[in-house]
Amino acid sequence: MGKAKLQFAKRYTFFTDIRKNPISYLLVLPALLYTFVYGYMTLPYMVIAFQKFNYTKGIFNSEWVGWKNFEFFFHSTAATMVTWNTIKLNFLSILFGTVVALLFSILLNEIRSRLFKRVSQSTLLFPHFLSWIIVSYIVYSFFSTEHGLINNLLQTFGFDPYNWYSDPKPWTWILVGLSVWKETGMSAVIYLAAITAIDDSLYEAAKIDGANRWQQIKSITIPMLMPTLSILTLLAIGKIFYSDFSMIYAIIGDNGMLYSTTDVIDTYTFRTLRTSGNPAIAMAIGLYQSVVGFVLVLSANWIVKKFNKDSAMF
Amino acid sequence: MKKADKFQIANTIFIFLFAMFCTLPILLVLIVSFSDENSILRKGYSFFPDNFSLSAYKSVFSSNEQLFQSYAVSIGVTVIGTLAAVIITGMAGYMLANRLVRYRNPIALFFFITMLFNAGLVPWYMMNDLLGFKNNLMALIIPTLIFSPFNLFLVRNFMQELPEALLESARIDGASDAYIAFRIVFPLSLPVLATVALFYGLGYWNNWFNAIMLVDKESLYPLQYLLYKLQSEINMVNQMQGVASSNITVPAESFKMAIAIITIGPIVLLYPFLQRFIIKGLIVGAVKG
């Protein structure tokens, strides 16, 4: 009996694995199915980008048009505008978000009162729990032309009220400010966790050598944070081609006067799908985003790998 | 005064100011919701309105089927969705962390690839169309929200750190895979499962993307989408207050802010519990890399 079984068990295939661990495979099945449907079965739909898509004919019988949909997009002025806006807004948010979060994680770490530390940490984290719709209400209560708080203040000090919702210029900074406002607490808590993990003996040794607070921060805290910092930053840069749709669309919506500085690839794709009823062009833009985004993620990971092999994603 | 003390004081003040910067905007919304409508129209939004008033809240709670409907939709979707999402993620995490499964890494790769490359909005929309997730509760629960590979890897990393000897001894005592999963690994993984539940729950509560893409029946509007509609469609405020023509003045500004506050309500009430889990979860995730 042993011999026959042994020979059979020699080749350990995928199916052997399933037979040996049926429960494990059963447990992973729902997630596997979901990922298969939404992550893989969606891929064939991407051929729509090369078609003159017709809902009744479907993806198999629609007319093939080659690169035409891409040409339509790249010949429009929107292509450079939305690409530039996406990169600009993300880059500035990463830059300021990281600097502010780093600053506050270091400052919070210096606080001696535990209670104050905990309370302020929770306070900084709070905006993260709000939806962008709520944030858009807050934005409106500050910038609304008629009733907004900022225009009130301007008028109190004798300035003319300003029509914020029709001037695209300040919105780059308003959006960057909002993303810093909403997400800084979260990143600061991550950095604070990394600071707490630094070995205390390093600081003890520095103190014995006569290093003051500032020298300790400069020579211990910041260098020790570098791995976490560089990884989080590079990962964010890897996603620089994707915007938070729910943020931009909640705050700007379909206000065409602000598009020139705020319209990003995600909102543009959404609007193309919604208004033109032509999914082919929306798909072409989506494919452009997916491909460039993929290349950027791979590059970011490649750079992380060069710095520190263990912290790369793959 | 010592130099270090001066730094402590300055630092405390600085952090206090930043904390104010984080909370004052929300406070403004709260104050406006309690402001008298005329005082808003006269003076604009202000931290110091001339008169306070409860009329916005009265109006919200008096005749608002839509609001209660949306509240019910949001709560139902969040509870059902979060439960399902945590169960799906926890079970998959167990498999990926199980050292007896030799093909666990290829399976992990299968999940991971979708984090790097996805087909985008149009195929996602077509897939939901194909599966019939349109204008029903499923459309608010299943697409996008019910499973995230990021959370899966968070759970897997936690479960991998559980002492292997413990599981080994259970196996020697004859415990089955199912017993180990449900009686040992899941109970021990409660901290990470709670964190993941929080991520999913917040995602469900704050989501309006699924609604804008897949739902146009008013009875299915979740709260956030109702808020979006109130902001983007002026008529919606009148419609909700049962006023047909826009000639009659209704407390539009304070009314909207009151609904915003009611939407934040559950988060504020649960916040003391939530933030502890999120900080713990971030530490679990961050320390390793």
Side-chain angles (χ1 to χ4, degrees), chain A residues 25-39:
Chain A
Y25 275 93
L26 199 66
L27 292 179
V28 84
L29 200 61
L32 221 49
L33 200 69
Y34 180 83
T35 306
F36 179 67
V37 170
Y38 278 96

Side-chain angles (χ1 to χ4, degrees), chain A residues 17 24 34-35 38 40 104 107 110 122 124 126 129 131 137 141 147 152 181 246 249 270 274 290, chain B residues 8 11 18 21 43 45 98 102-103 110-111 118 128 144 177 206 208 212 224 227-228 267 271 275:
Chain A
D17 206 31
S24 283
Y34 180 83
T35 306
Y38 278 96
Y40 291 89
F104 278 100
L107 290 179
E110 297 294 323
S122 317
L124 298 195
F126 189 68
F129 286 74
S131 76
Y137 274 61
S141 59
H147 310 303
N152 287 344
W181 177 76
S246 54
Y249 200 72
F270 170 80
R274 259 291 170 90
S290 294
Chain B
Q8 276 294 324
N11 189 13
F18 191 69
F21 171 73
K43 213 179 153 188
Y45 292 138
N98 185 353
R102 290 198 210 172
Y103 281 80
F110 179 83
F111 289 115
N118 71 65
N128 289 320
T144 326
D177 216 9
N206 284 341
W208 53 286
I212 200 175
Q224 307 288 346
L227 274 179
Y228 166 77
I267 294 180
Y271 192 63
Q275 59 107 4

Side-chain angles (χ1 to χ4, degrees), chain A residues 119-240:
Chain A
V119 171
S120 46
Q121 199 173 329
S122 317
T123 317
L124 298 195
L125 207 53
F126 189 68
H128 175 77
F129 286 74
L130 302 177
S131 76
W132 282 111
I133 296 285
I134 299 284
V135 176
S136 85
Y137 274 61
I138 293 172
V139 173
Y140 180 76
S141 59
F142 276 82
F143 292 99
S144 152
T145 311
E146 277 179 84
H147 310 303
L149 188 70
I150 292 183
N151 275 355
N152 287 344
L153 289 177
L154 284 177
Q155 279 171 306
T156 317
F157 292 107
F159 295 99
D160 285 332
Y162 193 74
N163 203 347
W164 296 94
Y165 279 92
S166 60
D167 181 8
K169 267 177 248 130
W171 284 93
T172 303
W173 296 103
I174 295 174
L175 291 177
V176 171
L178 287 170
S179 101
V180 172
W181 177 76
K182 194 165 183 285
E183 303 304 337
T184 295
M186 190 78 170
S187 325
V189 172
I190 297 180
Y191 288 127
L192 190 60
I195 293 177
T196 321
I198 298 173
D199 193 346
D200 270 338
S201 61
L202 290 174
Y203 292 105
E204 298 296 328
K207 264 184 221 155
I208 292 167
D209 288 344
N212 62 28
R213 272 281 165 200
W214 167 239
Q215 284 167 326
Q216 289 175 31
I217 292 172
K218 201 178 63 178
S219 317
I220 302 174
T221 312
I222 294 180
M224 293 297 279
L225 273 180
M226 276 322 268
T228 314
L229 177 74
S230 56
I231 292 149
L232 289 182
T233 311
L234 276 165
L235 290 182
I237 290 173
K239 282 186 286 185
I240 206 163

Side-chain angles (χ1 to χ4, degrees), chain B residues 66-83:
Chain B
Q66 179 64 55
L67 180 73
F68 293 127
Q69 178 70 17
S70 293
Y71 228 102
V73 170
S74 275
I75 290 175
V77 163
T78 304
V79 170
I80 298 169
T82 306
L83 264 175

Side-chain angles (χ1 to χ4, degrees), chain A:
Chain A
M1 163 202 162
K3 210 171 185 185
K5 253 206 168 153
L6 215 67
Q7 257 177 356
F8 183 70
K10 246 184 200 166
R11 269 183 53 80
Y12 191 97
T13 64
F14 182 54
F15 298 101
T16 328
D17 206 31
I18 295 179
R19 209 166 33 242
K20 288 211 161 180
N21 306 286
I23 300 292
S24 283
Y25 275 93
L26 199 66
L27 292 179
V28 84
L29 200 61
L32 221 49
L33 200 69
Y34 180 83
T35 306
F36 179 67
V37 170
Y38 278 96
Y40 291 89
M41 292 289 282
T42 45
L43 297 177
Y45 283 109
M46 297 180 96
V47 299
I48 295 174
F50 302 95
Q51 292 176 336
K52 184 183 173 187
F53 185 70
N54 182 321
Y55 277 102
T56 46
K57 287 182 185 164
I59 60 167
F60 295 109
N61 298 314
S62 284
E63 191 189 331
W64 197 260
V65 293
W67 296 96
K68 246 190 181 159
N69 295 321
F70 292 89
E71 280 165 24
F72 181 86
F73 173 62
F74 286 109
H75 286 167
S76 71
T77 50
T80 43
M81 184 183 88
V82 294
T83 306
W84 169 241
N85 283 341
T86 306
I87 293 175
K88 178 189 68 184
L89 287 171
N90 279 332
F91 176 78
L92 292 173
S93 302
I94 295 168
L95 181 69
F96 287 98
T98 310
V99 170
V100 175
L102 209 55
L103 178 73
F104 278 100
S105 63
I106 291 172
L107 290 179
L108 270 173
N109 190 47
E110 297 294 323
I111 294 281
R112 290 209 201 99
S113 154
R114 278 204 158 179
L115 181 72
F116 181 71
K117 195 170 169 178
R118 221 174 44 221
V119 171
S120 46
Q121 199 173 329
S122 317
T123 317
L124 298 195
L125 207 53
F126 189 68
H128 175 77
F129 286 74
L130 302 177
S131 76
W132 282 111
I133 296 285
I134 299 284
V135 176
S136 85
Y137 274 61
I138 293 172
V139 173
Y140 180 76
S141 59
F142 276 82
F143 292 99
S144 152
T145 311
E146 277 179 84
H147 310 303
L149 188 70
I150 292 183
N151 275 355
N152 287 344
L153 289 177
L154 284 177
Q155 279 171 306
T156 317
F157 292 107
F159 295 99
D160 285 332
Y162 193 74
N163 203 347
W164 296 94
Y165 279 92
S166 60
D167 181 8
K169 267 177 248 130
W171 284 93
T172 303
W173 296 103
I174 295 174
L175 291 177
V176 171
L178 287 170
S179 101
V180 172
W181 177 76
K182 194 165 183 285
E183 303 304 337
T184 295
M186 190 78 170
S187 325
V189 172
I190 297 180
Y191 288 127
L192 190 60
I195 293 177
T196 321
I198 298 173
D199 193 346
D200 270 338
S201 61
L202 290 174
Y203 292 105
E204 298 296 328
K207 264 184 221 155
I208 292 167
D209 288 344
N212 62 28
R213 272 281 165 200
W214 167 239
Q215 284 167 326
Q216 289 175 31
I217 292 172
K218 201 178 63 178
S219 317
I220 302 174
T221 312
I222 294 180
M224 293 297 279
L225 273 180
M226 276 322 268
T228 314
L229 177 74
S230 56
I231 292 149
L232 289 182
T233 311
L234 276 165
L235 290 182
I237 290 173
K239 282 186 286 185
I240 206 163
F241 229 54
Y242 290 92
S243 307
D244 190 343
F245 170 86
S246 54
M247 168 189 184
I248 309 279
Y249 200 72
I251 293 163
I252 307 297
D254 294 318
N255 181 354
M257 281 185 283
L258 305 181
Y259 287 171
S260 63
T261 59
T262 61
D263 208 18
V264 292
I265 301 175
D266 296 83
T267 49
Y268 187 78
T269 314
F270 170 80
R271 220 174 289 113
T272 308
L273 180 67
R274 259 291 170 90
T275 55
S276 72
N278 179 355
I281 290 170
M283 187 61 247
I285 306 166
L287 187 57
Y288 158 65
Q289 185 183 31
S290 294
V291 170
V292 179
F294 183 58
V295 172
L296 286 174
V297 174
L298 291 188
S299 324
N301 187 65
W302 182 74
I303 296 169
V304 174
K305 228 175 189 168
K306 287 215 126 180
F307 274 116
N308 182 350
K309 252 198 148 128
D310 296 331
S311 14
M313 287 186 295
F314 49 92

Side-chain angles (χ1 to χ4, degrees), chain B:
Chain B
M1 199 188 267
K2 268 167 65 187
K3 208 178 159 201
D5 290 335
K6 269 189 198 160
F7 170 76
Q8 276 294 324
I9 292 167
N11 189 13
T12 308
I13 293 173
F14 191 53
I15 288 178
F16 179 75
L17 287 178
F18 191 69
M20 294 303 279
F21 171 73
C22 287
T23 41
L24 281 181
I26 303 155
L27 194 66
L28 179 65
V29 173
L30 184 70
I31 289 175
V32 171
S33 76
F34 281 108
S35 299
D36 180 50
E37 187 71 13
N38 287 324
S39 134
I40 298 172
L41 294 178
R42 211 171 36 246
K43 213 179 153 188
Y45 292 138
S46 163
F47 283 105
F48 311 102
D50 294 339
N51 293 305
F52 284 97
S53 150
L54 287 171
S55 65
Y57 285 94
K58 273 184 197 143
S59 168
V60 166
F61 286 114
S62 62
S63 63
N64 257 301
E65 276 170 47
Q66 179 64 55
L67 180 73
F68 293 127
Q69 178 70 17
S70 293
Y71 228 102
V73 170
S74 275
I75 290 175
V77 163
T78 304
V79 170
I80 298 169
T82 306
L83 264 175
V86 170
I87 291 170
I88 292 174
T89 310
M91 294 192 318
Y94 172 78
M95 188 270 195
L96 293 186
N98 185 353
R99 285 187 178 75
L100 293 183
V101 179
R102 290 198 210 172
Y103 281 80
R104 64 186 185 278
N105 286 333
I107 302 275
L109 188 67
F110 179 83
F111 289 115
F112 184 67
I113 287 170
T114 61
M115 286 172 83
L116 300 181
F117 188 87
N118 71 65
L121 182 69
V122 177
W124 177 81
Y125 180 80
M126 301 255 172
M127 182 52 77
N128 289 320
D129 199 35
L130 184 77
L131 297 173
F133 296 147
K134 266 183 114 180
N135 265 328
N136 47 38
L137 275 179
M138 289 297 152
L140 296 174
I141 294 176
I142 295 179
T144 326
L145 298 161
I146 205 160
F147 174 73
S148 117
F150 175 83
N151 289 341
L152 171 64
F153 288 112
L154 207 65
V155 171
R156 181 196 67 170
N157 291 349
F158 186 93
M159 290 179 174
Q160 270 174 345
E161 300 292 312
L162 295 176
E164 182 64 15
L166 180 73
L167 310 184
E168 197 51 50
S169 60
R171 276 183 206 116
I172 291 169
D173 289 346
S176 68
D177 216 9
Y179 186 90
I180 291 175
F182 288 97
R183 288 297 175 81
I184 300 176
V185 172
F186 292 154
L188 285 175
S189 306
L190 274 181
V192 77
L193 293 178
T195 304
V196 165
L198 169 63
F199 286 149
Y200 280 126
L202 207 58
Y204 273 108
W205 186 260
N206 284 341
N207 180 278
W208 53 286
F209 180 72
N210 284 15
I212 200 175
M213 291 302 295
L214 303 170
V215 161
D216 47 31
K217 256 201 281 187
E218 281 176 13
S219 60
L220 285 171
Y221 285 180
L223 269 181
Q224 307 288 346
Y225 190 53
L226 180 70
L227 274 179
Y228 166 77
K229 283 281 188 187
L230 282 174
Q231 182 83 307
S232 61
E233 290 170 22
I234 298 150
N235 294 333
M236 192 80 185
V237 176
N238 292 336
Q239 194 188 318
M240 263 188 74
Q241 297 188 322
V243 182
S245 90
S246 50
N247 296 330
I248 308 161
T249 4
V250 290
E253 301 295 330
S254 50
F255 179 79
K256 284 198 295 191
M257 294 303 166
I259 296 196
I261 290 298
I262 291 169
T263 308
I264 310 177
I267 294 180
V268 175
L269 289 179
L270 295 172
Y271 192 63
F273 307 100
L274 299 182
Q275 59 107 4
R276 198 169 310 152
F277 279 122
I278 214 165
I279 292 176
K280 255 191 208 155
L282 284 176
I283 292 170
V284 170
V287 170
K288 274 224 88 182

